[in-house]
PDB file of all heavy atoms in Angstrom:
ATOM      1  N   PHE A  13       4.621  14.610  -8.418  1.00  0.00           N
ATOM      2  CA  PHE A  13       5.731  15.516  -8.289  1.00  0.00           C
ATOM      3  C   PHE A  13       6.364  15.842  -9.702  1.00  0.00           C
ATOM      4  O   PHE A  13       6.706  16.842 -10.061  1.00  0.00           O
ATOM      5  CB  PHE A  13       6.825  15.023  -7.334  1.00  0.00           C
ATOM      6  CG  PHE A  13       8.084  15.739  -7.319  1.00  0.00           C
ATOM      7  CD1 PHE A  13       8.137  16.998  -6.617  1.00  0.00           C
ATOM      8  CD2 PHE A  13       9.281  15.317  -7.968  1.00  0.00           C
ATOM      9  CE1 PHE A  13       9.322  17.750  -6.615  1.00  0.00           C
ATOM     10  CE2 PHE A  13      10.421  16.059  -7.982  1.00  0.00           C
ATOM     11  CZ  PHE A  13      10.432  17.241  -7.233  1.00  0.00           C
ATOM     12  N   LEU A  14       6.517  14.664 -10.410  1.00  0.00           N
ATOM     13  CA  LEU A  14       7.153  14.823 -11.776  1.00  0.00           C
ATOM     14  C   LEU A  14       6.184  15.629 -12.646  1.00  0.00           C
ATOM     15  O   LEU A  14       6.727  16.377 -13.508  1.00  0.00           O
ATOM     16  CB  LEU A  14       7.466  13.421 -12.338  1.00  0.00           C
ATOM     17  CG  LEU A  14       8.577  12.621 -11.623  1.00  0.00           C
ATOM     18  CD1 LEU A  14       8.688  11.210 -12.235  1.00  0.00           C
ATOM     19  CD2 LEU A  14       9.875  13.362 -11.779  1.00  0.00           C
ATOM     20  N   LYS A  15       4.886  15.415 -12.573  1.00  0.00           N
ATOM     21  CA  LYS A  15       3.992  16.111 -13.379  1.00  0.00           C
ATOM     22  C   LYS A  15       4.023  17.664 -13.063  1.00  0.00           C
ATOM     23  O   LYS A  15       4.047  18.520 -13.902  1.00  0.00           O
ATOM     24  CB  LYS A  15       2.444  15.655 -13.164  1.00  0.00           C
ATOM     25  CG  LYS A  15       1.575  16.358 -14.008  1.00  0.00           C
ATOM     26  CD  LYS A  15       0.126  15.768 -13.733  1.00  0.00           C
ATOM     27  CE  LYS A  15      -0.921  16.651 -14.570  1.00  0.00           C
ATOM     28  NZ  LYS A  15      -2.263  16.187 -14.281  1.00  0.00           N
ATOM     29  N   ALA A  16       4.140  17.995 -11.778  1.00  0.00           N
ATOM     30  CA  ALA A  16       4.267  19.318 -11.370  1.00  0.00           C
ATOM     31  C   ALA A  16       5.528  19.927 -11.754  1.00  0.00           C
ATOM     32  O   ALA A  16       5.603  21.116 -12.175  1.00  0.00           O
ATOM     33  CB  ALA A  16       4.150  19.399  -9.793  1.00  0.00           C
ATOM     34  N   LYS A  17       6.556  19.219 -11.761  1.00  0.00           N
ATOM     35  CA  LYS A  17       7.872  19.690 -12.158  1.00  0.00           C
ATOM     36  C   LYS A  17       7.857  20.005 -13.669  1.00  0.00           C
ATOM     37  O   LYS A  17       8.349  21.040 -14.049  1.00  0.00           O
ATOM     38  CB  LYS A  17       8.992  18.637 -11.906  1.00  0.00           C
ATOM     39  CG  LYS A  17      10.305  19.039 -12.026  1.00  0.00           C
ATOM     40  CD  LYS A  17      11.333  17.972 -11.564  1.00  0.00           C
ATOM     41  CE  LYS A  17      12.743  18.382 -11.827  1.00  0.00           C
ATOM     42  NZ  LYS A  17      13.663  17.417 -11.313  1.00  0.00           N
ATOM     43  N   ARG A  18       7.229  19.171 -14.516  1.00  0.00           N
ATOM     44  CA  ARG A  18       7.042  19.414 -15.988  1.00  0.00           C
ATOM     45  C   ARG A  18       6.203  20.683 -16.242  1.00  0.00           C
ATOM     46  O   ARG A  18       6.522  21.513 -17.027  1.00  0.00           O
ATOM     47  CB  ARG A  18       6.454  18.188 -16.687  1.00  0.00           C
ATOM     48  CG  ARG A  18       7.410  17.096 -16.855  1.00  0.00           C
ATOM     49  CD  ARG A  18       6.787  16.074 -17.780  1.00  0.00           C
ATOM     50  NE  ARG A  18       5.537  15.536 -17.359  1.00  0.00           N
ATOM     51  CZ  ARG A  18       5.344  14.489 -16.618  1.00  0.00           C
ATOM     52  NH1 ARG A  18       6.312  13.821 -16.160  1.00  0.00           N
ATOM     53  NH2 ARG A  18       4.061  14.035 -16.285  1.00  0.00           N
ATOM     54  N   GLN A  19       5.182  20.849 -15.336  1.00  0.00           N
ATOM     55  CA  GLN A  19       4.281  22.060 -15.470  1.00  0.00           C
ATOM     56  C   GLN A  19       5.080  23.348 -15.156  1.00  0.00           C
ATOM     57  O   GLN A  19       4.971  24.317 -15.882  1.00  0.00           O
ATOM     58  CB  GLN A  19       3.054  21.967 -14.695  1.00  0.00           C
ATOM     59  CG  GLN A  19       2.073  20.870 -15.135  1.00  0.00           C
ATOM     60  CD  GLN A  19       0.908  20.729 -14.233  1.00  0.00           C
ATOM     61  OE1 GLN A  19       0.964  21.034 -13.067  1.00  0.00           O
ATOM     62  NE2 GLN A  19      -0.245  20.252 -14.799  1.00  0.00           N
ATOM     63  N   VAL A  20       5.844  23.295 -14.148  1.00  0.00           N
ATOM     64  CA  VAL A  20       6.644  24.466 -13.722  1.00  0.00           C
ATOM     65  C   VAL A  20       7.697  24.788 -14.850  1.00  0.00           C
ATOM     66  O   VAL A  20       7.897  25.900 -15.244  1.00  0.00           O
ATOM     67  CB  VAL A  20       7.310  24.210 -12.367  1.00  0.00           C
ATOM     68  CG1 VAL A  20       8.330  25.270 -12.074  1.00  0.00           C
ATOM     69  CG2 VAL A  20       6.310  24.206 -11.256  1.00  0.00           C
ATOM     70  N   ARG A  21       8.327  23.735 -15.317  1.00  0.00           N
ATOM     71  CA  ARG A  21       9.343  23.953 -16.455  1.00  0.00           C
ATOM     72  C   ARG A  21       8.685  24.518 -17.670  1.00  0.00           C
ATOM     73  O   ARG A  21       9.238  25.530 -18.244  1.00  0.00           O
ATOM     74  CB  ARG A  21      10.049  22.674 -16.734  1.00  0.00           C
ATOM     75  CG  ARG A  21      11.123  22.756 -17.748  1.00  0.00           C
ATOM     76  CD  ARG A  21      11.820  21.456 -18.031  1.00  0.00           C
ATOM     77  NE  ARG A  21      12.989  21.388 -18.812  1.00  0.00           N
ATOM     78  CZ  ARG A  21      13.217  22.006 -19.978  1.00  0.00           C
ATOM     79  NH1 ARG A  21      12.432  22.845 -20.520  1.00  0.00           N
ATOM     80  NH2 ARG A  21      14.410  21.873 -20.598  1.00  0.00           N
ATOM     81  N   SER A  22       7.508  24.081 -18.056  1.00  0.00           N
ATOM     82  CA  SER A  22       6.873  24.612 -19.243  1.00  0.00           C
ATOM     83  C   SER A  22       6.400  25.972 -19.013  1.00  0.00           C
ATOM     84  O   SER A  22       6.509  26.885 -19.936  1.00  0.00           O
ATOM     85  CB  SER A  22       5.733  23.723 -19.766  1.00  0.00           C
ATOM     86  OG  SER A  22       4.781  23.668 -18.739  1.00  0.00           O
ATOM     87  N   LEU A  23       5.909  26.341 -17.809  1.00  0.00           N
ATOM     88  CA  LEU A  23       5.579  27.693 -17.519  1.00  0.00           C
ATOM     89  C   LEU A  23       6.721  28.636 -17.474  1.00  0.00           C
ATOM     90  O   LEU A  23       6.674  29.764 -18.052  1.00  0.00           O
ATOM     91  CB  LEU A  23       4.858  27.726 -16.135  1.00  0.00           C
ATOM     92  CG  LEU A  23       4.154  28.966 -15.740  1.00  0.00           C
ATOM     93  CD1 LEU A  23       2.974  29.262 -16.699  1.00  0.00           C
ATOM     94  CD2 LEU A  23       3.601  28.834 -14.343  1.00  0.00           C
ATOM     95  N   LYS A  24       7.898  28.135 -16.973  1.00  0.00           N
ATOM     96  CA  LYS A  24       9.121  29.000 -16.981  1.00  0.00           C
ATOM     97  C   LYS A  24       9.539  29.272 -18.428  1.00  0.00           C
ATOM     98  O   LYS A  24       9.901  30.453 -18.752  1.00  0.00           O
ATOM     99  CB  LYS A  24      10.167  28.226 -16.198  1.00  0.00           C
ATOM    100  CG  LYS A  24      11.550  28.942 -16.175  1.00  0.00           C
ATOM    101  CD  LYS A  24      12.556  28.093 -15.432  1.00  0.00           C
ATOM    102  CE  LYS A  24      13.869  28.726 -15.479  1.00  0.00           C
ATOM    103  NZ  LYS A  24      14.929  27.884 -14.799  1.00  0.00           N
TER     104      LYS A  24
END
Side-chain angles (χ1 to χ4, degrees):
F13 174 75
L14 292 174
K15 182 180 177 185
K17 191 174 179 179
R18 283 192 304 270
Q19 288 175 337
V20 168
R21 185 180 187 314
S22 63
L23 191 61
K24 180 181 174 183

